[in-house]
């Protein structure tokens, strides 16, 4: 019963805090660029404004175009619902493991790309093509990270991996470090952050994600934006849960433990948001075809993480 | 008994098709008959899997075949399982054929051969001796060869049929000695005797190699796949569905029968080899598929990919079994057979979808299609479901089998040998790449064909296909969801089927029925049912929130496209441009892809030209060399045709001497 309750709280927590995190990233970047910047609450206002606007749908669009935003948002939200944030004791934690997480995000991407192709414009196709190109390398990298973690922890469930790390079985492992590096690179690519994609641009040929959703407006766009924000928070939560799970509440934790878990998660995620803003301010956007090198690097790092396990064992 | 009469009825239908060849109602009648017969076989197979699963089924011996060897038939769990896998898609393609079969090119040649093809495939499944197995196998090959050749006025179909015939003959040529080696000196061709036979390690290894080549050439393993993307698309679409979705599964059946039933002692090294070949096949198959411009060829290459994925799991199962990890072996085998079921379903669906598109527009080229979702809603929706399922997206069925295969791959390093420990992660990367590429490939296929604006007048004028064809696509689409949402029922069924092969009953679910958690309760779990229920709940919440607080107004307007919309439909992304980023990164390595752009000088009115050149590394590297070798040898041997009679006599005499010498030496 409590597991159900925590599950419901968690479900709303991930959507509720997602715009805040995006706001923190934007504010950090604004301050670093010498601007005053909007408040961290601005993303909430943006979503509300978009929700209230009428939606313009292109003449050539099919029903796919109108249904896709709902599908995409639900797929991302569902993925976020199954990944632990402040506690591992949730009803849906065993419903999906890391492989299922990759696949749920792939579902969202599948429909985003199809929606990009639906209107039949050059920009939509360009975005869809590039998004699938990025995903074609990022997704295997993420799966290989899962592979290396499961070799260490003998599980693909994020909650179980977190417990394994908390149990102190890991220590300083090269494999874990490499896997973390690979996962961060994948997270940057999957969320369309600099240096892969620029979330702030609209009229550049380098854009990927924004090109796909160019035709969207009103409530449909609000859903897509919310999906993007939730995905960012989701990836941060996954990194926190797998590699820095300290403070995470378990099934035995009392109310105090839960509060600690909640604030620990929030603190870690906020630190990561500021870190992301800092990183994006320091680095320049990459050419599209350099992305293959970047993500190929992530894939190799993850593969090395698995191989090093056996090398370490053999030596 | 039932199966025997159904098989007889297939032959009868074929005969009727030949006799009443000119009757216009013939097509619908034959296909309806096939549908009923397939449905009976499905029912029989399901009954055997569910009820008669555990008891020993006696072999049926019929007095025909070779004089000293009667024909043996037997339906055990594995055969019954494949009976369902083969005949369910068979029933669907027959249903599709009722509306479609009369309109294909060469319909009068296709209709009588169709039941014979089904006869051949079913014969392979119930064979209990090598003779019946091989005769049915050849029956299947030759009838499908004739089906490929149905449109014999088409030069491409003729070439495809030629390559197919050569490769099919080569496959049987390898299977024949494999069975011969297992039969031993006494010629014990019954499967029951073969199970008891003891082979030397060399002979045992040779059997595995020959079976792998023989069955692999039929299944489409790289580099033996070259015939498949030529032959499968050349046949009429419902036959393509049978060849791609079903006939490759007969080959998988043959390999499982030999590796896991007739031979009990395959070394893990062979499992490793099968796994690596499977990984190569999966990645190459999907890379080929990604750059195809023809919808049916794309689907055929995607079959190559899926066969590779099945072989990865089969190899793992063999390696685990040799290592003594029987539960893991069972897990890998369950994963393989789950994928067999899934691929049979969604590939049938997708090929039928391509048939519907072909029937409605007369086009298979991706760049001549587009915007069909509005014009053919049922075909479009079912094709999208099939595309999502084959891209392994939850909560559809493709994801469950790929999840199981990943779970068993992650256990691969249990086999404590450096080759497995370093090989399995690499195979895992290959499998992950194949899964991700498949997603891209099917976004491209579904997006270019069904979404966007129509790229040709034919696509603009497309209309939905008749109801029977819609139904044939809707049933597998619903099942793709069903088998994805209730996976534990499927794994429980398959676990019963493979129990005699691995000797352990795999626990279907360690956490209770909605949770799929095959390895241990903590080692990762997935619950499609919970995922689907939560998804429904979240969707309702989202819709309620958006529609309660948001604006509901929708305005239709011309596409915005950053302020300068193009009226020309070719300004949309095409199939080639969609694949361009991946072609640049992977195509240049795998296929030597070269793009050249010829821009006219300024002021010149000549159009700019873009040319793309890709080579097929397997065909150009391997088969071209083989063809050259065969031709060279043939040229040399050709001289023998122009000798004088004196020389011929001399040659005969020399041969006789040599043979006598051989006999003399053998008798010493």
């Amino acid at each position: 019963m409590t597991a159900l309750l925590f599950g419901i709280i968690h479900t709303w927590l991930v959507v509720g805090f997602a715009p805040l995190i995006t706001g923190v990233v934007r504010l950090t970047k604004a301050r670093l660029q010498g601007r005053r910047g909007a408040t961290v609450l601005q993303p909430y206002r943006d979503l509300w404004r978009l929700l209230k606007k009428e939606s313009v749908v292109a003449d050539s669009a099919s029903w796919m175009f109108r249904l896709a935003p709902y599908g995409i948002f639900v797929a991302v939200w569902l993925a976020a619902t199954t990944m632990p944030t402040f506690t591992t004791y949730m009803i849906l934690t065993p419903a999906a493991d890391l492989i299922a997480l990759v696949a749920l995000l792939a579902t969202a991407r599948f429909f985003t790309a199809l929606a990009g192709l639906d209107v039949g414009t050059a920009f939509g196709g360009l975005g869809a093509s590039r998004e699938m190109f990025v995903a074609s390398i990022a997704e295997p990298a993420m799966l290989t990270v899962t592979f290396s973690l499961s070799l260490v922890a003998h599980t693909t469930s994020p909650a179980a991996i977190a417990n394994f790390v908390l149990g102190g079985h890991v220590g300083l492992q090269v494999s874990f470090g490499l896997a973390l590096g690979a996962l961060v690179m994948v997270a940057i690519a999957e969320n369309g952050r600099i240096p892969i994609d620029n979330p702030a641009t609209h009229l550049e040929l380098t854009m990927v994600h924004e090109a796909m959703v160019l035709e969207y407006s009103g409530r449909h766009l609000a859903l897509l934006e919310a999906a993007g924000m939730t995905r960012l928070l989701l990836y941060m939560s996954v990194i926190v849960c797998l590699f820095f799970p300290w403070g995470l509440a378990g099934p035995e934790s009392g109310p105090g433990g839960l509060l600690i878990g909640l604030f620990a998660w929030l603190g870690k995620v906020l630190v990561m948001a500021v870190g992301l803003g800092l990183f994006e301010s320091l680095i320049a956007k990459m050419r599209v075809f350099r992305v293959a090198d970047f993500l190929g690097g992530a894939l190799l790092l993850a593969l090395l993480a698995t191989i090093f396990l056996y090398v370490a064992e053999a030596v | 008994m039932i199966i025997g009469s159904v098989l007889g009825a297939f032959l009868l239908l074929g005969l009727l098709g030949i006799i009443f060849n000119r009757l216009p109602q013939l097509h619908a009648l034959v296909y309806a008959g096939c549908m009923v017969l397939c449905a009976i076989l499905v029912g029989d197979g399901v009954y055997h899997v569910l009820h008669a699963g555990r008891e020993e089924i006696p072999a049926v011996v019929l007095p025909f075949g070779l004089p000293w060897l009667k024909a043996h038939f037997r339906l055990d769990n594995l055969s019954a399982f494949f009976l369902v896998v083969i005949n369910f898609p068979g029933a669907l393609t027959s249903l599709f054929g009722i509306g479609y079969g009369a309109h294909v090119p060469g319909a009068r040649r296709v209709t009588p051969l169709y039941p014979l093809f089904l006869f051949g495939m079913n014969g392979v499944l119930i064979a209990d001796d090598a003779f019946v197995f091989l005769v049915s196998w050849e029956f299947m090959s030759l009838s499908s060869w004739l089906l490929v050749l149905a449109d014999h006025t088409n030069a491409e179909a003729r070439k495809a049929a030629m390559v197919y015939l050569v490769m099919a003959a080569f496959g049987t040529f390898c299977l024949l000695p494999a069975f011969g080696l297992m039969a031993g000196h006494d010629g014990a061709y019954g499967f029951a005797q073969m199970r008891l036979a003891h082979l030397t390690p060399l002979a045992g290894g040779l059997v595995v190699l020959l079976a792998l080549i023989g069955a692999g050439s039929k299944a489409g393993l790289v580099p033996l796949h070259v015939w498949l993307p030529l032959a499968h698309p050349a046949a009429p679409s419902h036959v393509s569905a049978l060849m791609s979705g079903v006939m490759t599964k007969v080959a998988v059946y043959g390999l499982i029968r030999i590796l896991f039933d007739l031979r009990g002692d395959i070394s893990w090294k062979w499992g490793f080899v099968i796994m690596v070949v499977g990984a190569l096949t999966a990645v190459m198959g999907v890379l080929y598929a990604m750059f195809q411009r023809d919808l049916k060829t794309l689907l055929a290459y995607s079959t190559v990919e899926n066969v590779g994925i099945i072989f990865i799991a089969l190899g793992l199962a063999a390696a685990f079994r040799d290592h003594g990890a029987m539960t893991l072996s069972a897990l890998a085998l369950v994963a393989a057979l789950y994928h067999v079921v899934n691929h049979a379903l969604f590939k049938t669906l997708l090929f039928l979808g391509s048939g519907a598109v072909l029937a409605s527009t007369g086009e298979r080229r991706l760049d001549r299609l587009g915007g069909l979702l509005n014009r053919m809603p049922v075909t479009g929706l079912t094709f999208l479901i099939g595309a999502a399922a084959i891209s392994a997206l939850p909560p559809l069925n493709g994801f469950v089998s790929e999840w199981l295969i990943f779970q068993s791959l992650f256990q691969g390093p249990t086999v404590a040998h450096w080759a497995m420990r370093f090989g399995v992660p690499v195979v895992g990367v290959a499998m992950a790449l194949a899964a991700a590429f498949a997603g891209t490939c099917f976004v491209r296929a579904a997006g270019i064909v069904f979404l966007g604006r129509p790229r040709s007048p034919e696509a603009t004028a497309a209309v939905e296909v008749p109801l029977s064809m819609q139904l044939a696509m809707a049933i597998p689409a619903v099942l793709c969801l069903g088998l994805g949402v209730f996976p534990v029922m499927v794994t429980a069924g398959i676990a019963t089927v493979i129990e005699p092969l691995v000797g352990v009953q795999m626990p279907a679910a360690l956490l209770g029925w909605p949770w799929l958690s095959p390895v241990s309760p903590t080692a990762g779990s997935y619950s499609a049912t919970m995922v689907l229920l939560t998804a429904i709940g979240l969707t309702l919440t989202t819709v309620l929130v958006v529609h309660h607080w948001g604006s509901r107004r929708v305005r239709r307007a011309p596409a915005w496209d950053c302020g300068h919309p193009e009226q020309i439909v070719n300004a949309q992304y095409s199939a080639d441009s969609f694949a361009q980023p991946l072609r640049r990164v992977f195509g240049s390595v795998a296929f030597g892809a070269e793009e050249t752009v010829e821009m006219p000088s300024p002021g010149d009115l000549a159009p700019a030209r873009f040319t793309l050149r890709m080579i097929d590394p397997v065909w150009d590297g391997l088969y071209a060399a083989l063809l050259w070798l065969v031709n060279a040898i043939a040229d040399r041997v050709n001289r023998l045709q122009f000798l004088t009679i004196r020389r011929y006599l001399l040659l005969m005499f020399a041969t006789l001497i040599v043979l006598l010498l051989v006999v003399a030496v053998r008798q010493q």
Side-chain angles (χ1 to χ4, degrees), chain B residues 275-504:
Chain B
M275 190 178 77
V276 170
V277 172
L280 180 74
T281 304
V283 173
M284 284 305 283
V286 73
L287 274 177
Y288 274 114
M290 190 130 53
F291 304 127
Q292 297 309 312
R293 293 167 176 171
D294 179 306
L295 182 57
K296 286 178 74 177
T297 316
L298 181 152
L299 293 175
Y301 271 119
S302 142
T303 298
V304 173
E305 180 226 340
N306 281 282
V307 163
I309 292 174
I310 294 167
F311 272 67
I312 291 177
L314 285 182
L316 268 174
F320 284 139
R321 193 179 58 162
D322 186 40
H323 191 253
M326 287 315 201
T327 321
L328 289 180
S329 177
L331 168 64
L333 209 50
V334 166
L337 291 184
Y338 207 136
H339 203 70
V340 163
V341 176
N342 291 343
H343 182 248
L345 264 182
F346 47 61
K347 191 47 64 70
T348 304
L349 164 60
L350 291 170
F351 259 117
L352 294 184
S354 78
V357 170
L358 190 59
S360 181
T361 63
E363 273 297 341
R364 282 163 41 176
R365 284 171 292 173
L366 294 173
D367 283 335
R368 301 279 294 163
L369 296 164
L372 293 184
L373 187 60
N374 287 328
R375 291 164 181 80
M376 306 170 71
V378 176
T379 309
L381 178 64
T382 51
F383 194 93
L384 277 176
I385 294 176
I390 203 169
S391 310
L393 301 182
L396 299 172
N397 58 353
F399 173 69
V400 183
S401 50
E402 292 206 4
W403 187 84
L404 284 171
I405 295 176
F406 272 119
Q407 286 291 352
S408 40
L409 253 181
F410 288 1
Q411 304 296 323
T414 317
V415 181
H417 187 276
W418 62 267
M420 280 297 272
R421 292 199 146 176
F422 291 107
V424 164
V426 177
V427 170
V429 170
M431 165 102 189
L433 279 172
F437 288 165
T440 309
C441 177
F442 279 93
V443 164
R444 174 174 175 264
I448 301 290
V449 173
F450 288 98
L451 304 176
R453 290 174 286 161
R455 292 177 176 80
S456 65
E458 293 84 4
T460 317
V463 284
E464 186 58 281
V465 290
L467 194 65
S468 67
M469 290 161 76
Q470 292 180 25
L471 197 63
M473 294 181 283
I475 295 171
V478 171
L479 276 176
C480 278
L481 184 66
L483 291 192
V485 179
F486 303 109
V488 180
M489 291 161 77
V490 186
T491 51
I494 299 175
T496 330
V497 167
I498 59 156
E499 202 188 327
L501 301 184
V502 285
V504 292

Side-chain angles (χ1 to χ4, degrees), chain A residues 52 54 94 136 155 215 313, chain B residues 421 440 522 525 549 555 561:
Chain A
K52 288 286 177 199
E54 77 169 353
S136 293
T155 173
E215 296 296 328
E313 213 167 82
Chain B
R421 292 199 146 176
T440 309
T522 52
S525 50
W549 278 291
R555 185 156 55 87
D561 203 14

Side-chain angles (χ1 to χ4, degrees), chain B residues 27-37 94 98:
Chain B
H27 305 287
L29 277 176
V30 167
Y31 285 116
C34 285
M35 185 179 77
V36 172
L37 294 178
S94 307
I98 292 174

Side-chain angles (χ1 to χ4, degrees), chain A residues 51-52 54-55 57-59 62 70 94-95 97 103 114 118 120 123 129 136 155-156 203 215 219 307 310 313, chain B residues 374 399 403 407 413 421-422 440 451-453 522 525 527 547 549-551 553 555-557 560-562 572 578:
Chain A
L51 208 57
K52 288 286 177 199
E54 77 169 353
S55 188
V57 175
D59 292 325
S62 68
Y70 295 92
D97 61 352
L114 286 181
D118 191 28
F123 271 111
S129 161
S136 293
T155 173
T156 51
L203 286 175
E215 296 296 328
R219 60 175 186 275
I307 304 250
Y310 298 120
E313 213 167 82
Chain B
N374 287 328
F399 173 69
W403 187 84
Q407 286 291 352
R421 292 199 146 176
F422 291 107
T440 309
L451 304 176
R453 290 174 286 161
T522 52
S525 50
S527 168
H547 281 222
W549 278 291
S551 152
R553 277 176 300 160
R555 185 156 55 87
R556 285 280 181 172
W560 178 50
D561 203 14
C562 265
Q572 297 178 83
F578 190 88

Side-chain angles (χ1 to χ4, degrees), chain A residues 9 41 78 96:
Chain A
I9 295 175
L41 299 180
L78 183 63

